[in-house]
Amino acid sequence: MKNHKAAKHGIDVVWFSCDQDGCDYKAKKASSIKVHKANVHDIDVQWFYCDQDGCDYKAKQGSTIKLHKAGVHDIDVKWHHCDQDGCNYKAKSAGHLKEHKQHVYEIDVKWHHCDSRRMRL
């Protein structure tokens, strides 16, 4: 119950602070401080390296390496194919496919109209 009150309601919160000079980051969990220090201050970072020949890319998270390898080297890509008749478009992300369908076929476009009567200079 104590953890719930602290996390959800801010009652009796024990704050953990970053000990780096000039940094005022605070968190409710000690593990968040460790992640913060690795991401912001490069302290105790476990680097993940791309294993492709000639590639020097490195990241702080394994999931970022996976995205890099899919995006740059086409490894383990889940292709998203356009379902419109006669279209051969494919994208590496669902978001890019959605943009394609909006721009080319005007599918799921959200139109925003200007109400010039409300505009004042």
Side-chain angles (χ1 to χ4, degrees), residues 56-70:
D56 296 329
Y57 185 81
K58 66 181 181 178
K60 294 178 182 177
Q61 297 177 346
S63 59
T64 305
I65 286 292
K66 187 175 182 176
L67 290 172
H68 161 77
K69 289 170 78 171

Side-chain angles (χ1 to χ4, degrees), residues 24-104:
D24 56 1
Y25 179 81
K26 292 187 208 174
K28 294 178 184 176
K29 296 179 181 178
S31 60
S32 296
I33 293 294
K34 184 175 181 176
V35 170
H36 162 80
K37 287 169 77 171
N39 288 335
V40 175
H41 304 293
D42 288 339
I43 296 171
D44 295 329
V45 177
Q46 177 186 352
W47 290 104
F48 295 86
Y49 296 90
C50 181
D51 59 3
Q52 298 302 298
D53 289 338
C55 185
D56 296 329
Y57 185 81
K58 66 181 181 178
K60 294 178 182 177
Q61 297 177 346
S63 59
T64 305
I65 286 292
K66 187 175 182 176
L67 290 172
H68 161 77
K69 289 170 78 171
V72 175
H73 304 294
D74 289 340
I75 297 171
D76 294 332
V77 176
K78 178 186 175 199
W79 290 103
H80 301 268
H81 296 270
C82 184
D83 59 1
Q84 299 302 300
D85 288 336
C87 185
N88 294 323
Y89 180 83
K90 65 182 181 178
K92 293 179 184 178
S93 74
H96 287 144
L97 176 59
K98 182 177 180 178
E99 288 177 8
H100 160 77
K101 291 169 86 172
Q102 288 173 333
H103 292 293
V104 177

